[in-house]
Amino acid sequence: MYALNFDPDVCESCETCDCLMKCQYLAFDLEAAKIEKARINRGEDSRVLTDCATCYACEEYCPNGNHPFYLIVERQEEKGILPAPGPITRQQVLMMKPRGTITPMKVKAPVIDMCYFPTLVGSIRAPLYENPSIIVGSDVFCNIMWLHFARNSVIRDQLPKIIDNIWHFYLKDSGVDELVCFHDECYATFTHLAPAFNIPVPFKAIHVFEYISGRLEVLKDSIKPINARVAYQRPCSNRLIPETQHWVDDIFEKIGAERVERAYDRENALCCGQVLRAHQREEMADDVQTRNLKDMRATGATYCVFNCPACMATLAEAAAEMGMFPIHLSDLCQHVLVGNASKG
Amino acid sequence: MPDLLKILSDIVGSEFVSDAPEEKYIYAMDPGTMPPCEPDIVVMPGSTDEVQKIVHAANTHRVPLVPLGAGLVLSGLSRALKGGIILDMKRMNRILEVNEISRYALVEAGASQGMLQAYLRKHFPHLKHSVPDAPPAATVAGNVSIHGSGHMSHAGGFHSDMLNGLEVVLPTGEVARIGSCATSPYWFARAPLPDLSGLFLGWAGTTGVITRLAIKLYPNYPLNDVGVFVCEDAAIMPDVLYQITGTQLAEDVTAWMTPKPDWAAGFLHCNVNYAAKTKQELIWKRNLIRSAVEKYINAKTGGFLPLPGMMKQRFLEVPARQLSLFADVRKGGGFEYVGAIMPVQLFPEAYDLGLDIAGRLGVSYSMGCRIIGVNHSMMFFYAYAFNRADADDIARAQSALEETNKHVVAMGGIPWKAEAPAQKEIIRRMDPNMFDMMRRVRSVLDPNGIMNPGNWEED
Amino acid sequence: MEYAEILHRCFRCGYCKLPGNYIDFNCPAYAAFRFETYSPGGRMWLLRAWQEKKLEPSRRFQEILFACTACGNCVEQCALPKIKDQLLAAFTAGKAALVDEGRVPPPVRDSLTHLQKYGNPYGLARKKRTDWAEDAGVETFSGHEFLFFPGDVGAYDSRGQEIARSVARLLKRLGVSFGILGNSEVSDGNEALAMGENELFRLLAEENIAQFKTLNVKKIIALSPHGFHALKNEYPGLGGAYQVFHYTQILADHAGGLSFRTPPTKMTVTYHDPCYLGRHNREYGSARKMLAGLPGVKLREMDRTMKNALCCGGGGGNLFTDILGNGPESPARIRAAEALDTGAAFLVVSCPACAVMLGDAVKSANLDKRIQVKEISEIITECIV
């Protein structure tokens, strides 16, 4: 059940092997890359399975949509290869498991899905969000993070129930069929991962940045542009949904922010490093974070803008130490709206 | 009974003495499970001179005298088991001196952990003392005198090891200085004189009243970090602790094992706190500590939790305020614990004992251990929460504590700050000549048997 | 007794005795008396003992309860999140239970009786309530933007009256439109409530609310933080909902209208956060904003500021009952010494009760040549042309 949509023949005819050739963490020449990819495809041992940083980027790099990263995770689990220590993996699964405390609630559009970030609910307020309904909690947690822990089995087990929770406890009886995903990962889960595993999703997911861009258009007369250079931290989950990148540019344009050109943005974005620490790869995490932050600082950016709350929790302090104001993109947009800006 | 109210009021002033039912009620108990023992009167001296006069009076009238700090020992050691006078020392709470170069602080016996910590932060921010995880109202003297431990104990040993000297009022009323302060204006060490401080450490206040003490201070580095190692197998913990402490880079190594929240059950966590002057040094220490347990990391049987900065705050807080939360687990404002001082090799057995007792008796529990010295020993604690409005719940916790004490002693450990029943358990196992020495010491120091009677006595 | 169900949940860990930075004892009653009975934990256990009939509420028991100044430090610092917010309510409920049984210390009985008979705790004639306003150019409220509510201390205490006049003059100077109720004003009732006299509070509040309604009052400026607290938080439950401000908030909003002396008046000050403005209502900024805007004035903070401030000892009715006394261990004396330690020449307050308590403490400790207690509008007035 919920088989992965992977076709080995597609890889056979792939000439570029971009999934491995473009990898930021493992180095190959083309011949070696093709050999390793074939090993992975056949279910054999490969150093990729033990050394993968689980940054999701190869899902973006693959020109054929043949899910190279999801396959890596499948193989890791089949072979009992754990990126993170066993106790940490098992504890994380327990920590994030659904509590079963969800109760029916009438909602109306826009329904903002806050995943399992109850502490961020305060960000969902006027004027940027207009009369939102908010859903949050362990019973709506998207579960995509198990990709970092070689636990597709947990995704297969939990995600259908989560989708069912959202649909039956909130959306269906309220006559709402759209869900605004605050977290990039949730949007990626419903629009990319679920289809890849043939898990049906009865509602339409909307990326929060699409929603915000629309709201900024409506509220354009209330915008006090920040006229600042901003460094953007593109999260790993966005590799699954690169088609949403343009919303970020749209938003920055509307609020008067210049998204600085830098080495580690867009297709070359770096993982925030927190998962590498979970994998006990401290020195690699140090290196990745240092390169990323120095790259940001070199641009003279005054803001370090985040999409993902986990990236922000990981890098905010270091960004502030480097003289940048760390802020989530949603909060930055709230800040530029007149009425909010004066509250300082 | 003599007119203690008048006698003591003449010494300290009437506003600092009370034999009112309210004071007798509150001072009869501490927040643990031990039943109340009502004193006859409570007095709060403000100086060594006043303590001396009170001790004279107690001797003259053969009235029991029980020194009291903040009353947070939880095993009821500052209850008046045989009635008498409770000597609440907390008015004597001045910080007398900080010697920066020799790194020590001289304080009055009633000075609290929190106030010393705050004082150092304000006036000597590059120095700190080893703070126990007791609430900040706990006294420095109380904790030292019961062989407490805290956030520098991996580096510095028991808090009694960090003692440089004492001023005591003996049960017969003399004031004695012990340590270098006996011959020198400086309170820098107990060596090289014959070390009489041991006569006042671990004796539950039965040998005299500490009025002043000097304790070692340590460098307070500006950068602090913590690694939380997690595994699922208690059998590897002695080696994990051995390896980590072998780096001698941490300030504090404390393990914790708790069934709540649910995700913590069955996992063994070990907080490794370390500090540095620079970021580079901090990273270097982190890497060395990590490499000490590399075999477990490589085998995927253990690893350090990925904690972003703000999630580390609760593990960096000194003292750890969240520990008091355990008191409300049964919605009843109570917990008590057996702190078993043991060799680290007993960790798996100690852990299994806690699981067994908690499971059989149905008590809410939490376990952990703090490493003392370079794996020289551990303070392995079994904490049992209880609802103080539920007599059955209290009884359950008491049974758990008693059983834990018995098994700890049988295993080769020794309950720290043992309550009176546990003391008897220890005495039963003790080398008879050691106990005989204790009796002889007490009979010399306290011929009238006034000091906290009922403690360290055979059945 | 209300809140009886939480009394046993106190662990007596003692976090409640200290501020967040642990620097010294911060429970005024415990600091003054030092017996464990006077600490918040002691009170919790004593109340439970009374409820379980293990103790009778003797005179000492009553004094222990009424020594609580309702400062809220225990609420701020309690380590147990599930009971901390109810601590003060539990102590007040304990006081209410004593009041219901008529078992209160005589000074408490007397001040409550005065409140009931005269509408103020001093037992002074109602018609003297507006004596402070003579020659201050203060108008009777009639369609003004704000009602100015001086409260009992501002109306009747000589020091309080000085402050009421100073604040009124400054508000006038800044063009604030305000009027006063007049002699028909009665006590805001905050201290009655803090002493557990719920019914008396209700009567006093309803008397004021009826007048506010008749006059169509919409906005109120309170002189005293005690009044501010009651008007803002307790009156709405009795049907009296207004926009309530403390005068420092209005001053801060209008600060742009001030012209300063040149050269500027130089002084070093320290600021005492009143409990009912600070800890209870989280308002720490307006007074500081004012002080920061005064050229020549340098602010040095004490070790215990904002939510860690040590109460002056005037709350819980203690300004009138004097259960804490004014000995060397009284919180007011401790606070005065703490202010002196900053090196400031002036201890600035924004509460008439604090002004009285701390002013008396400075005098009785013979510190008046070294530090003076001034209310903030008095400081501002010295700096402006």
Side-chain angles (χ1 to χ4, degrees):
Chain A
M1 201 175 186
Y2 305 130
L4 175 63
N5 292 338
F6 164 69
D7 183 352
D9 293 338
V10 169
C11 288
E12 276 291 318
S13 52
C14 176
E15 292 190 1
T16 57
C17 204
D18 281 348
C19 58
L20 293 182
M21 289 302 291
K22 287 187 172 179
C23 177
Q24 294 168 297
Y25 302 97
L26 302 171
F28 301 93
D29 62 42
L30 185 57
E31 197 185 326
K34 285 187 175 180
I35 290 170
E36 290 303 316
K37 188 67 176 99
R39 285 186 177 142
I40 295 168
N41 292 354
R42 290 193 300 266
E44 293 167 10
D45 289 342
S46 164
R47 68 181 174 95
V48 173
L49 301 181
T50 45
D51 295 351
C52 176
T54 71
C55 75
Y56 302 7
C58 46
E59 283 289 317
E60 181 177 30
Y61 297 149
C62 173
N64 305 309
N66 208 24
H67 303 307
F69 176 60
Y70 295 158
L71 184 65
I72 288 173
V73 180
E74 286 284 87
R75 295 293 184 248
Q76 285 175 329
E77 188 163 11
E78 281 163 15
K79 291 173 164 302
I81 293 170
L82 286 172
I88 290 177
T89 302
R90 286 184 280 278
Q91 189 172 71
Q92 289 286 307
V93 172
L94 284 171
M95 226 186 251
M96 305 304 282
K97 77 168 191 219
R99 299 301 189 262
T101 53
I102 190 170
T103 52
M105 181 174 78
K106 275 273 189 287
V107 293
K108 50 186 185 38
V111 180
I112 316 290
D113 178 1
M114 296 303 289
C115 196
Y116 200 3
F117 290 108
T119 54
L120 300 182
V121 164
S123 290
I124 311 305
R125 62 186 193 276
L128 188 61
Y129 297 87
E130 189 182 30
N131 299 318
S133 292
I134 298 172
I135 65 171
V136 66
S138 63
D139 293 305
V140 301
F141 168 60
C142 67
N143 278 272
I144 199 172
M145 76 182 260
W146 308 122
L147 293 172
H148 293 299
F149 291 89
R151 282 292 175 271
N152 276 348
S153 57
V154 177
I155 296 175
R156 284 187 169 96
D157 183 53
Q158 298 292 352
L159 183 54
K161 292 178 196 159
I162 297 302
I163 291 170
D164 194 63
N165 282 346
I166 293 171
W167 184 240
H168 282 107
F169 281 92
Y170 300 129
L171 298 183
K172 183 166 179 247
D173 287 348
S174 300
V176 177
D177 62 1
E178 286 189 351
L179 186 71
V180 178
C181 300
F182 183 81
H183 195 195
D184 201 80
E185 288 207 333
C186 297
Y187 182 82
T189 301
F190 300 131
T191 60
H192 190 271
L193 182 132
F197 283 89
N198 295 293
I199 298 172
V201 181
F203 49 82
K204 182 180 177 199
I206 308 284
H207 198 287
V208 74
F209 292 165
E210 180 181 352
Y211 176 80
I212 288 174
S213 185
R215 285 294 295 154
L216 289 173
E217 189 58 41
V218 167
L219 298 167
K220 63 179 174 224
D221 293 336
S222 306
I223 295 175
K224 192 175 167 195
I226 58 164
N227 298 325
R229 290 160 63 79
V230 307
Y232 176 66
Q233 167 61 18
R234 186 182 179 218
C236 52
S237 49
N238 202 254
R239 299 291 197 169
L240 308 179
I241 44 170
E243 71 279 7
T244 62
Q245 280 233 76
H246 75 93
W247 293 120
V248 176
D249 292 318
D250 285 353
I251 289 169
F252 282 143
E253 193 182 323
K254 282 173 177 157
I255 67 171
E258 181 196 337
R259 178 178 178 175
V260 295
E261 291 297 321
R262 65 186 189 95
Y264 299 117
D265 195 1
R266 300 187 193 272
E267 210 189 66
N268 210 27
L270 280 176
C271 167
C272 71
Q274 196 58 16
V275 161
L276 293 172
R277 297 204 192 278
H279 295 175
Q280 310 299 297
R281 299 165 86 172
E282 295 280 356
E283 279 146 322
M284 182 187 260
D286 289 345
D287 170 59
V288 162
Q289 286 175 350
T290 303
R291 280 191 284 132
N292 195 4
L293 287 162
K294 279 186 172 169
D295 182 43
M296 290 185 196
R297 185 177 59 180
T299 64
T302 45
Y303 290 85
C304 178
V305 181
F306 294 93
N307 168 334
C308 167
C311 290
M312 186 163 169
T314 304
L315 294 176
E317 195 178 329
E321 279 172 8
M322 289 198 166
M324 290 174 281
F325 190 103
I327 191 165
H328 190 280
L329 183 51
S330 172
D331 288 335
L332 182 61
C333 294
Q334 287 279 23
H335 183 67
V336 304
L337 291 170
V338 171
N340 275 346
S342 63
K343 283 180 184 140
Chain B
M1 182 65 83
D3 185 353
L4 288 173
L5 189 63
K6 168 134 184 26
I7 292 167
L8 296 173
S9 296
D10 285 345
I11 298 170
V12 302
S14 58
E15 65 271 33
F16 298 121
V17 189
S18 174
D19 62 356
E22 290 78 17
E23 275 72 44
K24 283 161 78 163
Y25 177 81
I26 290 292
Y27 282 86
M29 298 169 275
D30 77 10
T33 62
M34 289 282 112
C37 295
E38 201 175 82
D40 292 295
I41 197 161
V42 179
V43 64
M44 300 192 291
S47 66
T48 300
D49 184 59
E50 288 182 358
V51 173
Q52 201 178 13
K53 289 179 173 139
I54 293 166
V55 171
H56 270 305
N59 250 312
T60 303
H61 299 286
R62 311 241 172 170
V63 176
L65 187 62
V66 181
L68 168 73
L72 290 167
V73 70
L74 299 186
S75 54
L77 289 180
S78 40
R79 294 172 302 150
L81 296 178
K82 308 261 167 111
I85 304 167
I86 293 281
L87 191 66
D88 183 339
M89 298 296 292
K90 295 192 294 293
R91 281 183 64 220
M92 292 175 62
N93 68 347
R94 292 179 301 154
I95 294 155
L96 299 168
E97 181 195 344
V98 172
N99 185 317
E100 207 173 329
I101 297 291
S102 298
R103 291 199 178 100
Y104 68 78
L106 174 64
V107 303
E108 288 186 320
S112 68
Q113 303 283 356
M115 283 167 66
L116 176 58
Q117 187 181 30
Y119 182 88
L120 291 171
R121 276 189 182 145
K122 183 177 175 184
H123 299 286
F124 299 94
H126 45 285
L127 291 174
K128 65 182 177 186
H129 76 291
S130 181
V131 180
D133 278 319
T139 60
V140 174
N143 187 264
V144 166
S145 67
I146 55 174
H147 294 297
S149 55
H151 284 254
M152 290 298 298
S153 279
H154 163 47
F158 291 101
H159 288 168
S160 43
D161 294 324
M162 301 175 191
L163 178 69
N164 278 0
L166 294 171
E167 177 191 85
V168 296
V169 176
L170 299 176
T172 41
E174 299 90 345
V175 179
R177 290 256 168 120
I178 292 165
S180 62
C181 59
T183 67
S184 158
Y186 305 105
W187 295 61
F188 60 91
R190 303 195 318 259
L193 295 171
D195 190 1
L196 298 179
S197 64
L199 293 173
F200 304 95
L201 302 173
W203 290 82
T206 56
T207 51
V209 182
I210 296 172
T211 47
R212 288 185 179 188
L213 70 165
I215 58 168
K216 296 189 195 320
L217 301 175
Y218 294 88
N220 185 24
Y221 295 139
L223 302 175
N224 291 268
D225 205 354
V226 61
V228 182
F229 184 85
V230 187
C231 66
E232 290 165 292
D233 184 2
I236 68 171
M237 283 298 284
D239 187 56
V240 166
L241 294 166
Y242 177 81
Q243 299 296 342
I244 289 174
T245 55
T247 66
Q248 292 190 256
L249 291 172
E251 290 185 346
D252 184 29
V253 179
T254 298
W256 49 280
M257 298 76 69
T258 167
K260 294 286 180 196
D262 290 344
W263 52 259
F267 294 91
L268 301 104
H269 308 82
C270 181
N271 293 359
V272 184
N273 287 72
Y274 53 99
K277 292 190 281 290
T278 65
K279 253 219 164 105
Q280 198 181 13
E281 192 187 338
L282 200 70
I283 291 171
W284 178 80
K285 285 189 177 181
R286 179 203 71 193
N287 291 343
L288 279 174
I289 288 168
R290 188 193 163 285
S291 65
V293 286
E294 199 155 53
K295 66 182 178 205
Y296 299 108
I297 292 173
N298 290 343
K300 306 286 182 183
T301 51
F304 289 93
L305 287 179
L307 294 171
M310 66 213 188
M311 287 175 66
K312 289 186 180 178
Q313 289 315 306
R314 59 199 290 247
F315 301 117
L316 292 171
E317 203 182 20
V318 176
R321 174 187 271 258
Q322 54 162 359
L323 293 181
S324 290
L325 280 180
F326 189 62
D328 207 31
V329 154
R330 306 283 293 173
K331 295 188 173 44
F335 80 83
E336 192 179 331
Y337 66 100
V338 171
I341 310 297
M342 297 176 155
V344 179
Q345 71 223 45
L346 293 180
F347 188 107
E349 200 181 333
Y351 177 63
D352 287 342
L353 171 69
L355 292 179
D356 175 57
I357 289 176
R360 271 190 296 108
L361 300 182
V363 283
S364 298
Y365 76 94
S366 179
M367 285 192 276
C369 84
R370 169 162 267 136
I371 298 301
I372 312 294
V374 193
N375 231 36
H376 296 125
S377 62
M378 62 180 179
M379 191 280 285
F380 192 104
F381 68 83
Y382 305 81
Y384 302 113
F386 60 90
N387 179 349
R388 67 178 71 254
D390 181 342
D392 289 340
D393 215 40
I394 298 174
R396 230 183 333 267
Q398 278 173 327
S399 301
L401 290 160
E402 263 174 52
E403 214 180 303
T404 305
N405 276 325
K406 281 202 175 76
H407 282 95
V408 158
V409 173
M411 213 189 287
I414 308 167
W416 166 49
K417 56 174 186 177
E419 62 270 37
Q423 290 167 9
K424 294 186 191 334
E425 196 62 43
I426 295 167
I427 291 167
R428 275 195 275 278
R429 287 210 164 236
M430 193 183 277
D431 172 33
N433 285 334
M434 174 169 169
F435 187 65
D436 191 53
M437 278 179 71
M438 286 172 68
R439 275 194 317 100
R440 282 153 68 184
V441 162
R442 283 174 72 181
S443 66
V444 166
L445 289 177
D446 185 16
N448 293 329
I450 61 166
M451 295 304 307
N452 209 1
N455 284 287
W456 288 121
E457 292 171 6
E458 282 174 302
D459 275 326
Chain C
M1 189 198 120
E2 265 192 287
Y3 299 97
E5 71 280 3
I6 66 157
L7 298 174
H8 71 285
R9 289 173 74 171
C10 168
F11 184 41
R12 278 187 56 218
C13 60
Y15 272 98
C16 50
K17 293 181 189 170
L18 298 164
N21 59 11
Y22 311 145
I23 201 147
D24 203 345
F25 293 119
N26 224 37
C27 167
Y30 181 73
F33 294 101
R34 305 304 285 274
F35 285 105
E36 290 291 331
T37 40
Y38 283 83
S39 71
R43 263 178 257 131
M44 290 286 274
W45 283 37
L46 287 177
L47 279 172
R48 183 173 166 231
W50 175 30
Q51 297 304 299
E52 294 183 349
K53 303 195 184 337
K54 291 179 180 166
L55 279 179
E56 273 299 297
S58 67
R59 176 55 40 81
R60 188 174 180 87
F61 183 101
Q62 297 161 27
E63 282 178 357
I64 289 171
L65 255 293
F66 281 95
C68 166
T69 62
C71 75
N73 183 73
C74 49
V75 173
E76 190 68 50
Q77 297 301 332
C78 175
L80 302 182
K82 294 201 174 142
I83 65 165
K84 68 195 301 256
D85 290 337
Q86 300 162 74
L87 286 184
L88 194 50
F91 299 144
T92 310
K95 292 176 191 175
L98 289 171
V99 165
D100 285 346
E101 291 191 15
R103 293 175 163 196
V104 298
V108 172
R109 176 199 64 210
D110 293 344
S111 63
L112 290 174
T113 305
H114 289 147
L115 269 169
Q116 186 177 25
K117 278 187 170 166
Y118 302 99
N120 68 79
Y122 296 96
L124 296 172
R126 288 175 191 255
K127 65 182 179 192
K128 295 204 153 292
R129 195 154 189 111
T130 51
D131 281 2
W132 69 271
E134 281 171 20
D135 305 325
V138 172
E139 296 166 0
T140 303
F141 182 88
S142 171
H144 294 78
E145 186 184 357
F146 296 96
L147 173 78
F148 181 65
F149 194 96
D152 297 323
V153 182
Y156 287 102
D157 181 275
S158 57
R159 180 67 181 116
Q161 289 174 333
E162 284 176 352
I163 292 168
R165 277 192 288 272
S166 172
V167 171
R169 285 192 186 114
L170 188 56
L171 288 173
K172 258 185 92 83
R173 179 100 177 250
L174 289 170
V176 177
S177 157
F178 68 94
I180 57 172
L181 209 51
N183 287 335
S184 57
E185 176 188 293
V186 293
S187 171
D188 48 69
N190 189 70
E191 297 314 279
L193 197 57
M195 285 191 276
E197 238 295 10
N198 301 322
E199 186 55 23
L200 178 56
F201 166 73
R202 190 183 62 76
L203 289 170
L204 291 165
E206 284 178 351
E207 197 173 332
N208 280 327
I209 288 169
Q211 298 190 78
F212 296 162
K213 189 171 175 191
T214 305
L215 293 166
N216 200 26
V217 169
K218 297 272 188 266
K219 297 181 185 178
I220 303 177
I221 300 174
L223 175 70
S224 164
H226 297 238
F228 169 71
H229 180 76
L231 290 162
K232 180 169 182 279
N233 300 306
E234 303 294 343
Y235 275 44
L238 296 171
Y242 318 96
Q243 283 184 61
V244 183
F245 303 90
H246 185 253
Y247 73 91
T248 51
Q249 295 172 317
I250 302 299
L251 292 181
D253 267 351
H254 288 75
L258 295 171
S259 313
F260 297 105
R261 292 183 192 179
T262 49
T265 314
K266 282 191 185 243
M267 57 176 98
T268 307
V269 308
T270 188
Y271 176 68
H272 167 78
D273 290 280
C275 303
Y276 276 111
L277 192 59
R279 238 183 326 261
H280 286 294
N281 286 289
R282 299 287 190 231
E283 165 53 76
Y284 304 114
S286 295
R288 286 184 169 80
K289 185 177 167 188
M290 288 305 301
L291 292 171
L294 301 175
V297 170
K298 199 168 161 181
L299 172 65
R300 285 195 190 149
E301 297 278 13
M302 289 184 266
D303 287 332
R304 287 177 281 184
T305 65
M306 301 193 210
K307 65 178 183 181
N308 286 330
L310 172 65
C311 173
C312 70
N318 189 63
L319 179 65
F320 313 106
T321 62
D322 198 30
I323 290 178
L324 292 187
N326 61 357
E329 308 283 344
S330 71
R333 292 266 291 252
I334 296 170
R335 194 58 164 163
E338 192 177 348
L340 188 70
D341 265 350
T342 64
F346 297 97
L347 167 51
V348 181
V349 298
S350 54
C351 169
C354 294
V356 171
M357 295 295 294
L358 293 169
D360 286 351
V362 161
K363 283 200 199 84
S364 52
N366 294 316
L367 297 177
D368 42 327
K369 299 269 185 300
R370 299 164 69 187
I371 190 166
Q372 289 180 58
V373 179
K374 288 267 198 199
E375 179 272 331
I376 193 169
S377 73
E378 294 170 337
I379 295 282
I380 295 168
T381 303
E382 284 194 41
C383 294
I384 58 179
V385 294

